Amino acid sequence: MTMESTVPSTEAIDNTARYPLDPLTGAEIETAAAVITDSEYSTPTLKFVMIQLAEPEKPSSLTFAGVAETPRRAFVSMYDGAAKLIYEAVVDVGARVIDSWKAVPGRFPSYLVEHMTGVEEVVRADPRWQEAMRRRGVTDFDLAMIDPWPAGYYGSQDHYDNSALVCRPLTFMRAAASEHGYARPVEGLIVTFDLDAMKVIDIEDHGVVPLPPTAGNYAEKFMFDENNRPAFTKFRDDVKAIEITQPDGPSFTVDGWKVQWQKWSMRVGFNPREGITLHEITYTDRGETRPIVYRASLSEMVVPYGDTEPTHWNKNVFDMGEVGMGFSANPLTLGCDCLGEIFYFDGTVNDSSGNAVTIPNAICMHEEDYGISWKHTDFRTGEVEVRRARRLVISMICTVGNYEYGFFWYFYNDASMEVEVKLSGVLTTGAVPDGEEPRWGKLVAPNIYGPNHQHFFNFRLDMSIDGAGNSVYEVDSIPEPDPELNPHHNAWITRDTLVASEAAGARDWDWTKGRYWKISNPSKRNELGAPVAYKLTPRDVVPVMVQEGSYIYDRARFVQHNLWVTRYDPDEKFAAGDYMYQSADMQGLPEFIADDAPLEDTDVVLWYTLGAHHVVRPEDWPVMPCAYTGFHLKPVGFFDGNPALDIPPSPPAACHHH
């Protein structure tokens, strides 16, 4: 695709004044790295893992508008492979001084940039790996595709004093250069790789399984496989052009990283770990700017596999905490990834030497028609009133190895919000001999199967419903409990249960009760006298198949509950902890609620876990159609009526064929 946006990206606004929550610029990233490199703390083996904004302390006003100038600081995480230590620093980039420095012993960092590219070459040259490949009839090693999977956790040998940072690469074989390699997984071959020394530690070979015979190609250049069999015969010729036009331009305005759209206002952010972050989300109601969410982001994700075969059982990747969603963000393309009148935000990350790296068009923003917002026909008079819904979309798409994850934040003109995750890409595959059915997965093509697996995403929502003093209630719909009040056996009520303290903060959805969670402000009342509130409603809740006794159970405790509620703590940002790579111990949310802080009428944070349950289908091969999951935030008594009443009517328009 060569189409280009008619709306400028953030490259055109680089010289505007910096707001305290704006992401670091490339110059600020490199300044922070230079300050450290020139300091007494620097060593020849010190590498930069992530350099991002050190967000200033949350103000009581929930906005930095009108606040005195705030110093720009960088939070820098580093790894010294020789010392086997993580270091953290805060650098004042304006004053060019290090404000704080500390070592983090006993933890391992997420991937450095070169880990994703350098492993393949070293493995391919290893004689033990080559011998294992010859046993499988492979002699052209250049066609091997070696994915540097994070280590997972095998046991205590993976984590001890002075242990190496390791990964466990998986091997796939292309039949031709640039072909779809996941169609030929090399089953039973496990590499243990030392990322500190960049060398192979060990090769395990659990037995030869023949490489699957068929290609899995899907691109036009591979319309036919090596046996001249069609992946598809031709492109459809009945797809007519569709154009999204806004003759008057988009309804949103952008000032630096601040976005205003209809009555919504927010600030967009970006960093190497989380990717998109959203800040100071407010809604203007009859001239009053009302806060709803102070900060919202993906907090962690994990992909546990349910296959006990040697090549698959340890697969449980924390794609955000072990790799980084910002690092994995795609440069998006108009007409392909995004359609319509688009504004792009570039993402700026770092390499391990501290150089700034720009990901152009990392975040896409546009608005969409979303069908009918509300409608009524008065059958007596024939009068019809109808309004069309519209939503603002802020999104990014990340590639982590074989999978693509799309993260979409939707803002509607009825004052509701939605988070949607779209999953696509290519399955990580296994191979079985002729005539064998996989026990822990499903065949997608001859001799190729996709293991059973799940995806869990935890989103952190720092709530501010009309201010920082909020309370959370679990709301259940239940049959009328008093038989005398329910003579017809048809009555039902809603029951609110206060989540009073963190000890009760881990909550589970119950479909039999139509459960949702309400975040209210007891100090603010609507015209009916009820506290103003928003509610979180789940979508597509899936069962958790991670079992106690597995290594992943303690590493990903956040998946065990749909919702966690904590009292705000600026140091608590990630649901599975700051550093979970190659670590078995419990971190994150179970630790956060251990002090049982009171939660009523205080600054609360919601952590919502959503999942995708993947029993694979042949239709998921060779590339997977998007699967969708997410959740909603909707006003409930926040307004005194339908906030979408003032949407103007749309002018009647004849259909084209009329």
Side-chain angles (χ1 to χ4, degrees):
M1 288 289 182
T2 58
M3 299 175 67
E4 293 183 358
S5 172
T6 58
V7 185
S9 77
T10 45
E11 283 187 9
I13 55 173
D14 241 3
N15 294 323
T16 58
R18 310 301 297 170
Y19 190 78
L21 296 175
D22 286 355
L24 295 181
T25 64
E28 289 174 320
I29 287 172
E30 293 184 351
T31 296
V35 168
I36 290 171
T37 300
D38 294 340
S39 76
E40 61 186 296
Y41 299 110
S42 181
T43 70
T45 51
L46 189 70
K47 298 286 188 179
F48 294 97
V49 182
M50 293 185 183
I51 306 175
Q52 62 195 68
L53 179 71
E55 293 179 19
E57 183 178 348
K58 184 198 301 188
S60 59
S61 62
L62 302 177
T63 178
F64 286 92
V67 174
E69 186 176 345
T70 304
R72 297 279 292 172
R73 292 187 170 94
F75 175 77
V76 185
S77 58
M78 297 149 284
Y79 178 65
D80 190 327
K84 304 290 192 292
L85 270 177
I86 290 173
Y87 295 98
E88 293 179 348
V90 174
V91 178
D92 185 324
V93 295
R96 298 182 69 93
V97 297
I98 297 174
D99 287 345
S100 68
W101 181 278
K102 74 171 184 179
V104 184
R107 298 292 178 198
F108 295 90
S110 56
Y111 274 170
L112 302 175
V113 173
E114 61 262 31
H115 291 161
M116 298 300 292
T117 56
V119 171
E120 183 170 79
E121 181 180 345
V122 177
V123 172
R124 190 182 285 123
D126 186 86
R128 294 164 294 178
W129 177 87
Q130 292 182 354
E131 180 57 33
M133 297 302 289
R134 289 190 187 96
R135 287 195 288 271
R136 290 160 171 82
V138 174
T139 55
D140 188 349
F141 304 135
D142 289 339
L143 293 175
M145 190 175 77
I146 300 160
D147 282 6
W149 274 63
Y153 186 74
Y154 270 24
S156 59
Q157 72 274 9
D158 280 351
H159 192 157
Y160 52 87
D161 288 343
N162 209 38
S163 60
L165 175 65
V166 302
C167 71
R168 292 194 168 88
L170 299 178
T171 303
F172 304 85
M173 280 304 303
R174 295 185 174 99
S178 76
E179 194 217 32
H180 179 18
Y182 294 108
R184 294 184 177 86
V186 178
E187 193 67 47
L189 181 60
I190 301 170
V191 180
T192 303
F193 192 94
D194 183 340
L195 291 167
D196 292 331
M198 290 300 287
K199 68 177 183 180
V200 175
I201 298 173
D202 190 31
I203 301 286
E204 299 175 41
D205 193 341
H206 293 267
V208 174
V209 176
L211 295 175
T214 58
N217 298 312
Y218 51 86
E220 181 181 7
K221 63 182 178 181
F222 287 116
M223 193 174 290
F224 292 88
D225 66 18
E226 70 276 12
N227 297 314
N228 208 36
R229 289 173 293 198
F232 56 95
T233 54
K234 64 176 183 177
F235 287 114
R236 303 178 190 190
D237 56 11
D238 56 353
V239 180
K240 305 303 181 183
I242 184 170
E243 295 182 359
I244 309 299
T245 61
Q246 293 181 272
D248 300 324
S251 302
F252 55 75
T253 60
V254 182
D255 180 9
W257 292 82
K258 182 179 181 179
V259 173
Q260 291 181 286
W261 178 74
Q262 297 191 23
K263 298 184 177 186
W264 288 101
S265 176
M266 69 206 70
R267 303 199 70 93
V268 180
F270 183 88
N271 66 61
R273 180 163 180 161
E274 297 163 291
I276 290 176
T277 58
L278 297 175
H279 309 257
E280 297 186 12
I281 301 172
T282 66
Y283 194 88
T284 300
D285 173 34
R286 293 174 290 192
E288 179 188 1
T289 298
R290 305 176 68 184
I292 298 172
V293 183
Y294 178 73
R295 190 184 194 275
S297 66
L298 176 69
S299 164
E300 191 52 82
M301 64 166 292
V302 68
V303 189
Y305 279 74
D307 185 341
T308 198
E309 289 292 346
T311 322
H312 307 285
W313 73 267
N314 68 306
K315 290 179 179 176
N316 37 67
V317 180
F318 296 81
D319 286 324
M320 192 184 106
E322 294 183 331
V323 180
M325 280 299 146
F327 283 133
S328 306
N330 289 188
L332 300 176
T333 305
L334 183 66
C336 301
D337 301 298
C338 311
L339 192 62
E341 196 80 17
I342 307 298
F343 185 92
Y344 291 108
F345 295 90
D346 295 341
T348 306
V349 296
N350 60 279
D351 66 18
S352 63
S353 298
N355 300 305
V357 178
T358 297
I359 303 171
N361 301 353
I363 298 174
C364 166
M365 183 172 69
H366 67 288
E367 49 188 330
E368 296 177 342
D369 180 275
Y370 198 65
I372 294 173
S373 175
W374 57 267
K375 177 175 181 173
H376 182 63
T377 298
D378 188 324
F379 72 89
R380 292 177 176 85
T381 65
E383 292 184 355
V384 180
E385 291 286 350
V386 60
R387 301 292 187 271
R388 292 201 67 78
R390 195 178 291 188
R391 68 184 183 186
L392 179 72
V393 184
I394 301 175
S395 64
M396 70 175 180
I397 300 174
C398 304
T399 299
V400 188
N402 52 295
Y403 251 99
E404 264 71 29
Y405 299 104
F407 298 96
F408 292 75
W409 296 82
Y410 300 133
F411 297 86
Y412 294 88
N413 49 12
D414 65 355
S416 62
M417 289 175 55
E418 183 182 6
V419 172
E420 183 172 68
V421 180
K422 300 181 183 181
L423 301 90
S424 187
V426 178
L427 302 170
T428 184
T429 51
V432 291
D434 285 336
E436 186 173 313
E437 288 282 335
R439 181 173 180 84
W440 300 288
K442 300 295 181 183
L443 289 171
V444 295
N447 304 99
I448 307 171
Y449 78 98
N452 298 335
H453 64 281
Q454 297 182 299
H455 305 255
F456 291 101
F457 308 84
N458 184 273
F459 287 85
R460 180 182 182 273
L461 305 169
D462 183 353
M463 303 302 298
S464 57
I465 302 298
D466 252 351
N470 291 176
S471 300
V472 179
Y473 292 86
E474 190 166 82
V475 183
D476 290 340
S477 296
I478 60 172
E480 168 57 60
D482 187 341
E484 293 186 6
L485 298 178
N486 193 15
H488 307 294
H489 306 285
N490 69 319
W492 54 278
I493 64 172
T494 59
R495 179 178 62 197
D496 291 11
T497 302
L498 174 68
V499 183
S501 72
E502 289 182 336
R507 313 303 301 176
D508 293 308
W509 186 62
D510 187 343
W511 73 272
T512 66
K513 296 180 172 62
R515 178 170 292 170
Y516 61 86
W517 294 279
K518 181 171 65 177
I519 310 97
S520 69
N521 186 329
S523 302
K524 301 289 181 68
R525 303 270 167 169
N526 58 29
E527 68 175 8
L528 302 176
V532 299
Y534 263 68
K535 67 176 181 178
L536 189 155
T537 57
R539 168 182 160 190
D540 302 330
V541 178
V542 304
V544 177
M545 305 307 291
V546 173
Q547 301 154 42
E548 190 168 3
S550 66
Y551 284 125
I552 191 59
Y553 183 87
D554 280 332
R555 301 180 70 218
R557 282 287 179 98
F558 71 88
V559 310
Q560 298 300 325
H561 299 283
N562 303 113
L563 182 79
W564 303 69
V565 187
T566 64
R567 186 169 180 167
Y568 171 76
D569 184 327
D571 294 328
E572 297 175 354
K573 287 187 177 178
F574 306 115
D578 293 342
Y579 303 103
M580 77 293 301
Y581 195 102
Q582 209 172 313
S583 177
D585 56 331
M586 181 174 62
Q587 301 177 62
L589 281 165
E591 293 182 322
F592 299 166
I593 67 172
D595 60 354
D596 193 23
L599 294 176
E600 187 174 7
D601 192 10
T602 190
D603 195 350
V604 299
V605 177
L606 270 59
W607 312 70
Y608 183 68
T609 302
L610 58 90
H613 186 76
H614 203 173
V615 180
V616 305
R617 315 166 296 155
E619 291 84 354
D620 292 328
W621 185 256
V623 64
M624 191 174 89
C626 276
Y628 305 85
T629 185
F631 65 92
H632 285 85
L633 280 171
K634 297 182 178 181
V636 51
F638 191 80
F639 302 98
D640 293 331
N642 180 353
L645 282 181
D646 58 356
I647 298 175
S650 304
C655 294
H656 179 73
H657 64 271
H658 290 166

